[in-house]
Amino acid sequence: MAISNRVNQRTVLLLISLIQSGGRDKPISLSDLAEFTGIPKPTLVRWFKEAENGGYVIRAVKGKRHHFIVSAKGLALLNGVCELISSGEKPIERIAGEVFTGLGEGAYYMSLEGYRREFLKHLGYEPFKGTLNLRIISKSAIYSVIKWIEKVRPVIVPGFTESGRTFGSVRIYPVRLNGELCHAIFPERRHYNADVIEVISKDNLRRKLNLKDGDIVTVDLLSWD
Ligand SMILES: Cc1cc2nc3c(=O)[nH]c(=O)nc-3n(C[C@H](O)[C@H](O)[C@H](O)COP(=O)(O)O)c2cc1C
Ligand SMILES: Nc1ccn([C@@H]2O[C@H](COP(=O)(O)OP(=O)(O)O)[C@@H](O)[C@H]2O)c(=O)n1
């Protein structure tokens, strides 16, 4: 079920609270829910009124006690929320990175035929000539990257010799940058330390994702399967 943006977020929170309190398949009283969640009764009364008007809960009154059942529409709404969250692949980790400009060397290396041929073969596209640099600010995120690199088997582009000069191998890993599927590359010989990721893509990412130096991006660290 697609979630309408008119759905009240309080209703979603209320339904989650009901289910956490054991109300997925049986009625829960207002008092029990207040006790379980610590949400004041008057607040719950208001939230239940909204949810009832929307058809997301069913009220059953016995004496002074009000019981609530999650309706079929309420369950469908929560399933819609779950689908929204779980759509797409599950990243191994998710970190933040900051865009910065380097010395312009990425464009040179990414233009070399010896690399371009292999990128096309392994990734199925001809990358934009350059690497988008991301600085990882937090220590825990740097640690996540180190663990990710250890865990995921890389695609390896071998080194080669061209015009008498030797170029090193490059390890490649899949990533999503602000939701866009791209690849992180780790050249065997590189200037940067563990706090920098270089990202390649068929597109000019600055243009496509409207990025400039200092912007913070979301990086999903993925595996190949
Ligand atoms: C595909 C690729 C291959 C590279 N191979 C080498 C290499 O063989 N030797 C080297 O000194 N640096 C190599 N580098 C690393 C660059 O020297 C540099 O660390 C990196 O690309 C960052 O450059 P920038 O931020 O100035 O653009 C390579 C970079 C890329 C993208
Ligand atoms: N897929 C890519 C690769 C590089 N770039 C950008 O293209 C420019 C040239 O890349 P580069 O690697 O030579 O430059 P620097 O990383 O040294 O700044 C830089 O501004 C990169 O950030 C991009 O927008 N999208």
Side-chain angles (χ1 to χ4, degrees):
M1 171 184 166
I3 300 167
S4 153
N5 52 15
R6 279 182 310 197
V7 165
N8 192 325
Q9 288 155 8
R10 284 183 297 268
T11 296
V12 175
L13 184 61
L14 178 70
L15 293 174
I16 293 171
S17 305
L18 263 172
I19 286 183
Q20 273 186 316
S21 320
R24 192 196 178 287
D25 299 312
K26 62 179 175 60
I28 294 283
S29 75
L30 185 86
S31 310
D32 285 350
L33 189 66
E35 193 179 329
F36 186 86
T37 60
I39 301 171
K41 268 192 191 172
T43 305
L44 284 176
V45 167
R46 268 187 289 119
W47 290 8
F48 269 123
K49 202 169 278 175
E50 288 170 343
E52 196 181 9
N53 288 342
Y56 298 106
V57 294
I58 299 160
R59 187 190 298 257
V61 185
K62 187 167 182 229
K64 280 190 166 173
R65 281 174 80 83
H66 287 231
H67 290 81
F68 291 91
I69 296 170
V70 182
S71 70
K73 188 177 173 185
L75 285 177
L77 171 63
L78 288 184
N79 278 327
V81 173
C82 291
E83 276 167 27
L84 192 68
I85 296 166
S86 62
S87 62
E89 73 278 82
K90 314 273 174 298
I92 287 179
E93 264 303 345
R94 175 167 261 211
I95 59 166
E98 181 182 347
V99 175
F100 73 96
T101 295
L103 302 171
E105 289 191 7
Y108 163 72
Y109 287 96
M110 292 300 292
S111 305
L112 296 173
E113 233 355 87
Y115 288 128
R116 295 195 72 70
R117 214 177 22 242
E118 292 289 318
F119 285 135
L120 180 61
K121 186 169 115 192
H122 291 287
L123 306 179
Y125 65 82
E126 287 224 46
F128 176 81
K129 290 175 181 166
T131 62
L132 181 77
N133 300 341
L134 302 178
R135 176 151 285 120
I136 311 160
I137 297 141
S138 87
K139 280 212 174 76
S140 68
I142 294 172
Y143 183 71
S144 294
V145 172
I146 292 168
K147 288 273 139 214
W148 168 61
I149 286 171
E150 277 172 14
K151 185 171 172 188
V152 174
R153 169 194 46 83
V155 161
I156 300 178
V157 166
F160 59 94
T161 302
E162 199 174 292
S163 313
R165 200 187 140 180
T166 307
F167 296 92
S169 65
V170 176
R171 286 174 299 152
I172 313 173
Y173 298 84
V175 290
R176 264 187 203 278
L177 184 77
N178 282 2
E180 193 69 26
L181 186 60
C182 344
H183 295 94
I185 60 165
F186 296 88
E188 183 188 354
R189 305 175 191 171
R190 71 200 288 256
H191 299 336
Y192 296 120
N193 296 322
D195 64 336
V196 170
I197 294 186
E198 291 183 75
V199 176
I200 63 166
S201 158
K202 65 180 185 325
D203 298 305
N204 176 330
L205 290 168
R206 283 187 187 258
R207 199 174 301 148
K208 183 162 193 191
L209 303 177
N210 191 23
L211 298 173
K212 55 183 187 322
D213 281 3
D215 282 354
I216 302 295
V217 291
T218 302
V219 189
D220 284 340
L221 310 176
L222 307 176
S223 67
W224 290 103
D225 30 63

